[in-house]
Amino acid sequence: MTFEPALVAELSAVPELQGKIFPLSANGAPAPYLVYVSSEGLPSKGLDGYGSGKNVTVMLNIMSDTYSGLKTITANVLAILHTFEKRKIGEGGPFIQELTHQEPVEGYEPLPKLYRCVIELKAFF
């Protein structure tokens, strides 16, 4: 299992997000849901060339129709993320050596009338 499917598997433990975690776009899914943006990442590089490690930057966008729902989901997502270090994530996913994240940023999106929380994280595996 690669990083993105492992991330989705782990975050699916949040009851409100089961079956509602999407890459890049939610395509009209009802709130609450989570949209993530990720990439293949950057391979680690030392003096002797490229290594087997990889740094991946991920942006999580949590969307909810209530502010209290957003706060609950955000707290649950952060609690799961904080367990990633020093273990394999998902079913046979990568072993996360280090995970860091920025302070969550909350806002309101008037067009879809939804509350949003953005969490930017970096994982090294």
Side-chain angles (χ1 to χ4, degrees):
M1 179 179 281
T2 59
F3 177 74
E4 288 182 15
L7 177 69
V8 170
E10 292 283 341
L11 296 180
S12 292
V14 177
E16 297 90 343
L17 297 179
Q18 288 180 350
K20 298 175 122 187
I21 301 174
F22 309 100
L24 303 177
S25 173
N27 293 323
Y33 57 84
L34 183 147
V35 174
Y36 65 91
V37 180
S38 185
S39 72
E40 282 299 308
L42 292 171
S44 61
K45 187 173 182 184
L47 294 174
D48 56 345
Y50 288 101
S52 60
K54 189 184 286 192
N55 280 300
V56 175
T57 301
V58 180
M59 182 172 25
L60 304 177
N61 293 276
I62 302 166
M63 306 297 287
S64 177
D65 52 358
T66 67
Y67 184 65
S68 62
L70 181 75
K71 296 296 271 186
T72 299
I73 295 168
T74 299
N76 289 335
V77 166
L78 288 170
I80 291 169
L81 292 175
H82 293 163
T83 71
F84 280 15
E85 282 193 336
K86 308 298 182 219
R87 72 175 181 93
K88 282 189 173 191
I89 62 170
E91 196 69 29
F95 181 86
I96 304 299
Q97 295 179 33
E98 182 179 23
L99 184 130
T100 59
H101 67 82
Q102 300 297 316
E103 180 177 5
V105 177
E106 297 175 349
Y108 182 75
E109 301 296 331
L111 188 56
K113 297 181 180 176
L114 294 174
Y115 295 90
R116 174 193 303 259
C117 180
V118 178
I119 303 170
E120 292 185 32
L121 64 96
K122 291 186 181 204
F124 178 74
F125 52 92

